[in-house]
Amino acid sequence: MKKSFPRTRDLLLGLILTALLYIKCRLFYPPLMLAGYEPAFSLATAAIFLFVYTLLLCVSRKAARIVCGTVYAVISVFIAVDSVYLAYTSKLPSVTQLRMAWQIGDVSSTVMDLLRVRHVLMVLDLPVWLNLLIHRNDLRARMEKNRAGRALSAFLDRELPRAVSPALLGASVLMAGAVFLYPGFRFEYLENEIFVYHAGDMISAVSPGIAARPVDKSRYASPDWSDSPYYGLAEGRNVIIIQVEALQNFVVGAYYEGQELTPTLNRMIGEDTLYFDHYYYQIGGANTADAEFAVNNSLFAPEENGAYVRYPENRYYPLATLLKDHGYRTAQAFHGYIGSFWNRETAYPYQGFDDFISLEDYEQTDMFPMGLSDKAYFRQTADILGELPEPFYALCVTVSSHYPYGIPLKDREIELLPQDEQTLFGLYLQASNYADRAIGEFLDELKAMGLYDRSIILIYGDHYALPNSTAAIARRVGAITDGDYTIFDMFNVPFLIHIPGAGVTETISTAGGHMDVMPTLLCLLGIHNDRAVMFGQNLLEAEHGFVCEEAHVSIGSFISDEVFFQMPHNNIRTNYRVYDRKTMAQLDPDDYAAQSDEARRRILDCQALLARNDVFLDP
């Protein structure tokens, strides 16, 4: 009978894998900003792995090798993938986002740009261990061919005590216990430990959970704004919404070395425009797609994945359907990228659009790294709009200023300082300037066709472009804005409502977000939504701004007219931050707990309604 592989060798294998896992965790946990508890979390992960391995080893050596070898490989891959995802979104991925993994090929350049050597190191050893496990008997045979090998084999087989299993079991318990010796460490913080996080995430993915949450829908019924001086100001006009990829508010009105970055937007703000200078993006797991979902429905997208992916065929009462119910002849969506991206082709009919013009439908005359160039896109879109029956609704989603902001050299007009060449900051200035110029040409086309004066044009940015956490970027942004690049500035995107000939030019500083676009627009059109919930408010009549955030922060975060309450995804209380909007002074989070609870309630209420397909108001 073939001699079984000795238990002592298996114990050594477990120790080595545990040590390697601990090292990987020490590299993985710091970006999670765990308030100095990173060694504790690394110990916890190693302890869980060693504990399970040792228990299995007491039952079956083969099971221990197979199960824990597989777990080690899987968790190493998780660590690598989580690290890349974290670098882009500032949070860990959800298992439900695996449903969107087919889109990775579409943004592969972005993924490759985020990839670092430390991410590759997380999985570099896996082929070696796989080879050793498969050929372990061959290795032993080679060892016994020489005297030194036979001596080592004998030592491993007979000399080391077989009572190491209980010792290792005790060691894993002691390691776990050491986690709680850290001052201030709480049991609930373990939700950030990688085994606990992914296990809990998988359980929540198959649990009905949120759908059973009771919701008072009357809280989200739209008020009657007919007494507002803005009511009906743009009644009967064509509605054109331009969602600009990664457009941040700090570039609006800014100059770089004497060069105006956004001349088109600057001119618009000066005449017949309502400009909201404290407007903040509100997105879920699908970034751009969730921005347009929020704008067109006044609903929060799921935090862990895209609304168009998770709830594409829900029964909604979106802006397009509502407008057609009030006399609009058609509603069409336009995007210079492939139609299947973020499941738009499936979702758009349920968003009320009669047609979707995507990259496949355009003449691909001027291609950029991420789809059709904005200028070519807008030229062809204008031609299509000229043929539509009026009044119409057009949603135009741009793409050229997408990360990593690779505007071709021929289309760059900003002369950069040598220190900014080929930096993310410099590339972004080129991208935002190009997007602005493309919008300017589009408006000129509308004027030439006679559509401009018969339209209301809304322009906003979908999400942030440059992180304020990178010192070099923050320093360069501050140089062109004559101030610090704060967390407010990162979340702040522009929002303009341009009504040609209306004679209304205002800057409104009430805090608002994507959720507020639909109710604000409806007031200007003189339309009342009495059929479905809306989680936003009319910014033209709002007494106070209140923006609930869930992307790049944890649910319970909010921005008001006074503060930004920032809850990190790790939910460690010592990491809670409250910033005064004017001075950036840090305030006591406990003073704003009630508002944080309200922000959390609103988002969870919306998620419950989406989960049970129930956004219509009760009769």
Side-chain angles (χ1 to χ4, degrees), residues 357-420:
I357 311 301
S358 61
L359 179 61
E360 297 88 341
D361 305 304
Y362 287 104
E363 282 188 57
Q364 299 180 21
T365 54
D366 185 22
M367 295 298 292
F368 275 20
M370 190 76 179
L372 186 64
S373 75
D374 283 355
K375 288 190 176 183
Y377 161 73
F378 276 130
R379 281 196 298 271
Q380 296 181 54
T381 297
D383 291 339
I384 297 171
L385 295 183
E387 301 297 323
L388 296 181
E390 299 181 58
F392 59 76
Y393 167 40
L395 172 66
C396 305
V397 181
T398 75
V399 71
S400 291
S401 47
H402 193 283
Y403 180 91
Y405 322 121
I407 304 298
L409 292 174
K410 66 180 178 62
D411 293 292
R412 300 181 188 181
E413 290 194 0
I414 299 297
E415 294 185 12
L416 297 175
L417 297 172
Q419 69 190 77
D420 294 325

Side-chain angles (χ1 to χ4, degrees), residues 119-403:
H119 301 145
V120 178
L121 288 176
M122 300 298 184
V123 295
L124 202 60
D125 64 322
L126 297 186
V128 176
W129 288 109
L130 180 63
N131 184 65
L132 285 176
L133 288 172
I134 292 174
H135 301 290
R136 64 188 185 279
N137 289 329
D138 294 340
L139 177 63
R140 181 184 171 180
R142 286 196 297 271
M143 285 177 61
E144 294 185 346
K145 287 182 178 179
N146 60 74
R147 181 178 298 178
R150 286 194 296 273
L152 178 60
S153 180
F155 176 75
L156 292 175
D157 286 350
R158 295 185 293 273
E159 303 302 327
L160 284 182
R162 297 301 180 90
V164 175
S165 275
L168 285 184
L169 208 57
S172 62
V173 172
L174 288 174
M175 289 165 63
V179 171
F180 296 97
L181 295 179
Y182 281 80
F185 191 89
R186 299 186 179 190
F187 181 79
E188 59 264 28
Y189 293 170
L190 283 176
E191 67 182 29
N192 301 288
E193 193 279 323
I194 192 165
F195 283 117
V196 176
Y197 171 81
H198 283 292
D201 181 52
M202 291 175 187
I203 292 171
S204 65
V206 298
S207 170
I210 194 71
R213 177 185 176 87
V215 178
D216 179 5
K217 289 191 284 185
S218 66
R219 297 175 64 102
Y220 308 110
S222 174
D224 182 359
W225 300 305
S226 57
D227 292 336
S228 168
Y230 299 95
Y231 192 79
L233 187 64
E235 183 176 1
R237 292 184 182 233
N238 301 312
V239 175
I240 301 174
I241 292 182
I242 303 174
Q243 177 173 295
V244 186
E245 174 65 38
L247 180 64
Q248 287 191 249
N249 201 42
F250 76 80
V251 296
V252 177
Y255 285 76
Y256 173 87
E257 295 298 306
Q259 302 165 89
E260 191 175 16
L261 294 177
T262 57
T264 300
L265 298 183
N266 297 346
R267 286 194 301 271
M268 292 178 72
I269 290 172
E271 184 178 5
D272 295 330
T273 294
L274 299 167
Y275 171 49
F276 301 84
D277 61 344
H278 285 287
Y279 178 86
Y280 304 91
Y281 66 83
Q282 293 173 290
I283 56 176
N287 293 347
T288 297
D290 282 343
E292 65 187 61
F293 174 81
V295 164
N296 281 278
N297 295 275
S298 194
L299 298 171
F300 296 99
E303 185 269 338
E304 73 280 6
N305 58 13
Y308 291 165
V309 174
R310 187 164 187 179
Y311 303 116
E313 300 177 1
N314 270 21
R315 183 168 170 258
Y316 299 103
Y317 194 49
L319 180 60
T321 301
L322 192 153
L323 292 180
K324 287 188 292 183
D325 284 349
H326 286 80
Y328 279 69
R329 305 282 298 280
T330 187
Q332 300 204 15
F334 303 84
H335 192 30
Y337 198 53
I338 57 177
S340 60
F341 195 55
W342 287 125
N343 206 30
R344 284 185 174 92
E345 284 181 334
T346 300
Y348 271 168
Y350 295 88
Q351 291 296 313
F353 292 110
D354 300 309
D355 198 6
F356 173 32
I357 311 301
S358 61
L359 179 61
E360 297 88 341
D361 305 304
Y362 287 104
E363 282 188 57
Q364 299 180 21
T365 54
D366 185 22
M367 295 298 292
F368 275 20
M370 190 76 179
L372 186 64
S373 75
D374 283 355
K375 288 190 176 183
Y377 161 73
F378 276 130
R379 281 196 298 271
Q380 296 181 54
T381 297
D383 291 339
I384 297 171
L385 295 183
E387 301 297 323
L388 296 181
E390 299 181 58
F392 59 76
Y393 167 40
L395 172 66
C396 305
V397 181
T398 75
V399 71
S400 291
S401 47
H402 193 283
Y403 180 91

